[in-house]
Amino acid sequence: MRSFCISGLIFCGLLLSAAQTSAQTLFAYTENNNIILRWTAANERFVDRYVVEHSTDSVYFTSLHEVVSKGPFTDDTENSYQDADTYPSASANFYRVRTVLRDGGSFYSAVVRADVNTMDMPVLKPTVIHMGGTLRLDNYRSNQLLTVNIFNANGTLLGSYMVNGTSFNINTDRLAKGILFYRISDATHPLIDAGKLMVL
């Protein structure tokens, strides 16, 4: 029993040491309305990966990306990491990095804040279109593939369009006249923008 307690204390001590020496220094800044996240970590011998988490209120966080630990696993190595939030979902955004250890344990960095101008988010225009009209994305500034879904008032999906440019054609001949709804998303943001369309 005594040997179990001692080995348990040693194991806890190793984890504490890992947590202390692998703690990140997280920085966030805005560049062309992209939020760039940078952090450093040392002594990653116990570290499996890093999870970048995002929040709009600094209380409830959701996972944004995962970044694999670089190694090598030596005590005197400090590695630098970078990630980006290409379409922040609010004007005020909060981030933290969760360090996930190989045994499944984890700990968090300090929370940092970065602000953006939400007026620069991609917006679908025009909102009133005629049969066979062309829609465009204003403020489109990224090579990231976007998805534009169009729904009717009952929530039925009428069309899904993959967009990698500032404009795209939509076959409105298959759409009913009247008010429709759209949602813009990408691989990491389920909702970038939403609104109404009027088909004439």
Side-chain angles (χ1 to χ4, degrees):
M1 182 69 176
R2 180 175 297 178
S3 62
F4 173 77
C5 291
I6 291 174
S7 59
L9 288 173
I10 292 172
F11 178 72
C12 290
L14 289 174
L15 286 182
L16 181 59
S17 174
Q20 290 173 340
T21 56
S22 297
Q24 317 93 343
T25 303
L26 178 63
F27 298 96
Y29 61 93
T30 304
E31 185 176 277
N32 296 324
N33 252 31
N34 295 321
I35 295 179
I36 309 300
L37 302 162
R38 289 183 175 171
W39 70 95
T40 58
N43 187 12
E44 296 176 282
R45 67 173 70 189
F46 300 108
V47 178
D48 179 65
R49 66 190 183 278
Y50 301 96
V51 181
V52 177
E53 298 183 349
H54 171 260
S55 172
T56 56
D57 60 7
S58 75
V59 177
Y60 298 101
F61 284 82
T62 57
S63 297
L64 190 62
H65 302 130
E66 289 194 5
V67 180
V68 177
S69 172
K70 290 180 180 179
F73 307 117
T74 59
D75 291 344
D76 57 352
T77 301
E78 182 174 272
N79 287 316
S80 297
Y81 295 88
Q82 179 172 313
D83 194 26
D85 191 355
T86 53
Y87 287 113
S89 57
S91 56
N93 298 273
F94 301 88
Y95 300 89
R96 68 185 182 187
V97 172
R98 179 164 62 95
T99 299
V100 180
L101 303 177
R102 290 183 174 186
D103 69 346
S106 63
F107 58 91
Y108 294 92
S109 70
V111 175
V112 296
R113 174 176 173 164
D115 296 338
V116 295
N117 181 2
T118 54
M119 295 300 292
D120 289 339
M121 303 305 285
V123 179
L124 195 64
K125 290 187 177 180
T127 56
V128 178
I129 56 175
H130 295 272
M131 289 298 188
T134 298
L135 293 171
R136 71 178 186 275
L137 285 174
D138 285 0
N139 301 325
Y140 186 86
R141 65 181 191 285
S142 172
N143 293 325
Q144 187 153 350
L145 192 65
L146 299 180
T147 301
V148 179
N149 290 323
I150 298 179
F151 306 86
N152 63 16
N154 296 325
T156 303
L157 179 65
L158 302 179
S160 184
Y161 304 88
M162 306 299 286
V163 183
N164 59 2
T166 56
S167 66
F168 62 101
N169 292 323
I170 176 173
N171 183 3
T172 53
D173 295 335
R174 295 182 298 171
L175 302 178
K177 291 184 178 181
I179 297 176
L180 304 177
F181 301 86
Y182 70 87
R183 289 172 61 93
I184 303 173
S185 61
D186 65 16
T188 56
H189 299 84
L191 179 60
I192 294 173
D193 186 52
K196 297 180 181 179
L197 295 173
M198 173 67 78
V199 180
L200 302 177

